[in-house]
């Protein structure tokens, strides 16, 4: 009980909340440890003062998932990282407007551990008002893959919500870069009309009345099948009229 060496605690759980190094008092010390990643984990005590002293690793401790608190959205390019601060690693892949891709929705605890017993119904929304979204569907063993098609170029997100239990926290994805598709057609905008890329008609507004014999300006855009501007196109355009 005469030993007052400083001890340090590490863990096989890379996401654990560990205590600061501290000196033993009378040869002993109590430390607080919080393990965050479900599975089989250990903790190790090492002598910081004298590295020649043998460290000790605990028996494997089974860490169970916590209470179901929220949903998690994973995009292509992202991988679940339970126990970590953000719950995932990787960077969301760039998508092409009008092309479908899959997202994964997981039921997780506060530390992003998958809870396989959950079968709640999940619903998908998007910041892209023109997106083609899947029907609501039940999670299977706590997870579900949904197909999403974003139609408007730009930076967009998708959100998963628990339809069964609105008390569970919804999750919004990382930003998704959506590029325009291949040039497919031309778009003509007259005064009073505004481009509305991604929509069914590609524009909003009503043409304003023009007086005969007075010039006015029209805009011609090269667009993809969903009316997104394709800025790389330099084709020559010609204008004709029913007049």
């Amino acid at each position: 009980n005469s030993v007052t060496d400083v001890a340090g605690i590490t863990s096989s759980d890379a996401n654990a909340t560990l205590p600061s190094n501290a000196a033993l008092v009378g040869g002993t010390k109590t430390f607080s440890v919080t393990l965050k990643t479900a599975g089989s984990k250990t903790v190790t005590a090492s002598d910081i003062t004298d590295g020649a002293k043998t460290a000790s690793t605990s028996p494997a401790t089974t860490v169970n998932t916590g209470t179901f608190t929220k949903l998690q959205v994973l995009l292509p390019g992202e991988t679940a990282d339970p126990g970590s601060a953000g719950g995932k690693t990787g960077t969301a892949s760039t998508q092409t407007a009008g092309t479908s891709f899959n997202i994964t929705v997981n039921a997780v605890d506060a530390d992003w551990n998958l809870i396989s017993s959950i079968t709640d119904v999940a619903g998908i929304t998007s910041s892209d008002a023109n997106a083609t979204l899947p029907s609501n569907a039940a999670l299977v063993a706590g997870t579900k893959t949904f197909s999403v098609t974003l139609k408007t170029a730009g930076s967009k997100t998708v959100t998963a919500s628990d339809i069964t239990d609105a008390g569970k926290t919804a999750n919004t994805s990382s930003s998704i870069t959506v590029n325009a598709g291949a040039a497919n057609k031309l778009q003509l905008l007259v005064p009073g009309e505004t481009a509305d890329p991604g929509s069914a008609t590609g524009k909003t507004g009503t043409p304003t009345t023009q007086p005969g014999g007075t010039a006015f300006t029209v805009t011609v855009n090269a667009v993809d099948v969903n009316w997104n501007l394709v800025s790389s196109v330099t084709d020559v355009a010609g204008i004709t009229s029913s007049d």
Side-chain angles (χ1 to χ4, degrees):
N1 63 7
S2 62
V3 176
T4 58
D5 287 15
V6 173
I9 305 298
T10 57
S11 175
S12 63
D13 181 358
N15 301 306
T17 298
L18 301 173
S20 301
N21 298 345
L24 305 180
V25 178
T28 187
K29 180 69 177 178
T30 298
F31 292 89
S32 177
V33 174
T34 303
L35 301 180
K36 294 186 176 181
T37 310
S40 181
K41 308 298 176 184
T42 60
V43 292
T44 298
S46 301
D47 191 316
I48 305 302
T49 303
D50 182 356
K53 297 297 187 290
T54 302
S56 177
T57 298
S58 72
T61 301
T62 298
V63 182
N64 292 328
T65 56
T67 303
F68 172 36
T69 62
K70 57 189 176 184
L71 296 178
Q72 176 187 52
V73 177
L74 297 175
L75 301 172
E78 295 180 329
T79 303
D81 185 17
S84 66
K88 57 188 176 183
T89 60
T91 302
S93 303
T94 298
Q95 302 298 323
T96 300
T99 301
S100 65
F101 60 95
N102 290 332
I103 66 171
T104 299
V105 176
N106 294 326
V108 294
D109 65 14
D111 293 306
W112 306 102
N113 294 291
L114 177 69
I115 303 179
S116 59
S117 61
I118 303 301
T119 58
D120 288 15
V121 172
I124 306 299
T125 56
S126 175
S127 63
D128 181 357
N130 302 305
T132 299
L133 300 173
S135 300
N136 297 346
L139 304 179
V140 178
T143 189
K144 181 70 177 178
T145 298
F146 292 89
S147 178
V148 173
T149 303
L150 301 179
K151 294 186 177 181
T152 311
S155 180
K156 307 298 177 185
T157 59
V158 293
T159 298
S161 302
D162 191 316
I163 305 302
T164 303
D165 183 356
K168 298 298 185 288
T169 302
N171 184 238
T172 297
S173 73
S174 308
S175 293
I176 308 163
T177 298
V178 182
N179 290 333
N184 175 267
K185 55 193 173 184
L186 295 180
Q187 176 190 53
L188 188 141
L189 301 173
V190 299
E193 294 180 326
T194 303
D196 185 18
S199 66
T201 60
K203 57 187 177 181
T204 59
T206 302
T208 55
T209 300
Q210 300 297 324
T214 301
F216 61 94
T217 299
V218 301
T219 300
V220 178
N221 295 324
V223 294
D224 66 11
V225 70
N226 291 298
W227 304 101
N228 294 291
L229 178 68
V230 183
S231 60
S232 61
V233 175
T234 57
D235 290 12
V236 174
I239 305 296
T240 57
S241 173
S242 62
D243 182 355

